[in-house]
Amino acid sequence: MIIRSLKLHNYRRFVNCIIEFPEGIVGLVGNNGAGKSTVIEAIAWVLYGTEAARSGKDEIRRTGAPSGEECFVEMDFEIDNESYRIFRNIRGKNATSDAEFYSGKKLMAKSTRAVNTEVKKVLGLELRNFQISFFARQKELNALSDLRPAERRAHIIRLLGIDAVEEAIASLRRDKNDNTSKKEIYTRTAKDITVTKDTIEEYSDKIKNSEARIEKGKEYIRQADAIRQESRAKFERISKTREQYLQLKTQGERLRAVEESYNANLKELQEKLSSLESKKAEMEKLKTQLRGYEEVKAEKERYDKLQSDYKMAESFKKNRDKLLSDRDDLEKEIASYREVVADYDNIVESLASAGDKLTAVKNEIEDKRNAATDIRSRIRSLTDKRSELELQLNNIEELGPDSKCDRCLRPMGDDYQSIHNHLTGEINSISASIDKLEPEIKQIQETLAVLQSEREDVESNRQKLLNKRANIQQQKKELVKYEKNLNVILQRIEESQKELSGLGEIEYDGRKHDELISEFKRLAKVRDMYLQVKATIDSLKDIPEKIKIAEARVQETSAELEDLRNRVKQLNYSESIYKELESEKDKHEKDYHKAQITFKELENDYKLLNQKMETFKNEL
């Protein structure tokens, strides 16, 4: 195989690439990833399909290629000076595969399966043999040496063409065995030659009889066909007549339906015409009953207006009375609010006085608390001093006259007693001072309790005054709102009074109004009946003209029906004759087909006899 050109479109990394291969050895040179292996793979893929690729067919299409654009490889090559072209593609979203294989301009195979089969036949190699011999991918140059000896021998024999010689030897051996078997069979069957000659003579007679029967069959078919054609002609003639008959019959049925419709319309118009006079008499009677209708209508409308004014006046009165009642209620509420509000200044004054008193009580409490604090401080200071003196006294009492003075650090000696007395006197003096201060503390605490109670009373009274002031302030707001509402109500009362004055005195008699309504309803019914009868009479004015038109249409339709009946008679069609001819035609058709089948059977018998004769002659 000599590759002449290779075209790649959307295959792997190639958008569109055409390679023309020159004579001799060709080398592909490029950086890693440039697509050298892809070109080699494309050769195997275009020949053997997806099983020769490095991946599934969904990964062969170039990344980024539009889903609607196809991916294909096309290769031209030669074998034994004969040109071939192979084309394989993938198209569509579902990656549908297709392929075509040409020898010169002749299409040898189309579809992936057919092309794969034809390639294997032309190259004489399966994909596996192709890959381990002429086509070795990267890292697979030792594929042939990796096979087992028996497999390697089979592949090499096939590549060298020696397998055909071995098959020829095996075929000769089979022929030898077959001829030996045939020799034995012929030896055994030679004895039956005499029987075969007798059988040939017997079948010769049968063939002659069969030929005579075939000739009779041909004549019978010609006669049956002539009868069939004549029967067909008769049936076609009566079929045309029947078609005309059915058309006329359909027209007749349609005209009869139209005639019935026209007659029914004519009858209806005649009935309406007969009722016209009675309607006129009824209209005159109703016209007499309608006298006084306009007067009653006008009087009723006047009373309708009076009723409306009367109801409006009653509504105004009710509204006025309601407003007057609301006014009285508001005035009472305003008076009660004014009484409460009047006490506002006294409450404000009392609230100021309570505030001053509360401030005075708080100041006095603060003074007493400060005095109590001072006394407690003095008592605490005296108590601490007494404790120091008692400690000092205890120390000198324990050591006696030999104890040292805590100030000069000299022994007391003879001064011991005077110092002891002095310390005792100071302790007693401090205790007396503390005893005097404690009643003052107690008196201050009692005074504080009284002041605290007074403060709580003042605060409680002040809070009540605050609440009362707040309540009065709220009621002052309510008073303003009520006074505004009162002004609105007074204005509305004035407007209502003006409206009532505008209506004046209304004299309305409800019973008489009811009588007028009843009489008007009765006369309105009579008027509706009158108008209905008048409309009916108006609609019947053109009845006589319509009757003339309807009568003319009935006459025209009757004439058309009579013409159709005459045309049907002229056809002289009979349904029974039609059925008879149809049955006769079908019978002759069946007879003709039966004759053909019989003749076919005779021919088959004749062929079978001849075939058996040939068999016997061959056997002989």
Side-chain angles (χ1 to χ4, degrees), residues 181-243:
S181 299
K182 286 179 181 179
K183 178 183 176 183
E184 294 175 356
I185 293 170
Y186 294 157
T187 302
R188 288 196 302 270
T189 56
K191 299 175 181 178
D192 299 329
I193 289 175
T194 305
V195 176
T196 303
K197 288 181 179 179
D198 295 340
T199 305
I200 288 172
E201 291 178 1
E202 179 185 348
Y203 269 83
S204 295
D205 295 337
K206 287 183 179 181
I207 287 170
K208 289 178 182 178
N209 291 333
S210 179
E211 288 172 349
R213 290 172 67 191
I214 285 173
E215 289 301 321
K216 288 181 181 179
K218 287 179 181 179
E219 181 59 29
Y220 182 78
I221 285 174
R222 281 194 294 271
Q223 292 175 2
D225 186 44
I227 295 170
R228 179 175 71 102
Q229 294 296 338
E230 183 181 357
S231 177
R232 272 186 177 181
K234 288 180 181 179
F235 182 73
E236 285 175 2
R237 286 194 294 272
I238 198 167
S239 292
K240 290 179 181 179
T241 304
R242 184 174 186 270
E243 185 177 352

Side-chain angles (χ1 to χ4, degrees), residues 148-160:
R148 292 195 299 271
E151 293 176 340
R152 187 162 58 248
R153 178 180 179 278
H155 282 297
I156 292 172
I157 286 175
R158 186 167 184 184
L159 292 173
L160 296 175

Side-chain angles (χ1 to χ4, degrees), residues 12 35 86 103 186 324 376 378 433 436 451 467 481:
R12 299 290 190 192
I86 185 165
S103 175
Y186 294 157
L324 290 171
R376 287 192 186 94
R378 287 168 60 193
S433 297
K436 286 180 181 179
L451 288 171
N467 293 339
K481 185 174 72 174

Side-chain angles (χ1 to χ4, degrees), residues 360-450:
V361 171
K362 285 182 177 179
N363 290 335
E364 189 175 356
I365 289 171
E366 185 66 25
D367 293 341
K368 292 296 181 183
R369 285 178 177 169
N370 290 337
T373 301
D374 291 341
I375 293 171
R376 287 192 186 94
S377 179
R378 287 168 60 193
I379 291 172
R380 200 160 39 248
S381 177
L382 290 170
T383 303
D384 293 341
K385 188 175 182 180
R386 185 177 62 180
S387 297
E388 289 178 2
L389 291 172
E390 287 175 347
L391 179 61
Q392 188 178 358
L393 181 63
N394 289 332
N395 288 335
I396 64 174
E397 284 179 349
E398 287 178 1
L399 297 174
D402 295 333
S403 63
K404 292 180 180 181
C405 178
D406 60 346
R407 295 181 181 176
C408 64
L409 300 177
R410 291 182 297 176
M412 292 183 185
D414 296 336
D415 295 328
Y416 169 78
Q417 190 61 47
S418 62
I419 292 171
H420 183 277
N421 293 335
H422 173 71
L423 290 172
T424 303
E426 282 191 10
I427 290 169
N428 292 332
S429 176
I430 290 170
S431 297
S433 297
I434 290 171
D435 292 339
K436 286 180 181 179
L437 290 172
E438 285 180 349
E440 291 181 19
I441 285 290
K442 185 175 181 183
Q443 185 178 358
I444 289 171
Q445 288 176 343
E446 290 174 356
T447 304
L448 278 172
V450 172

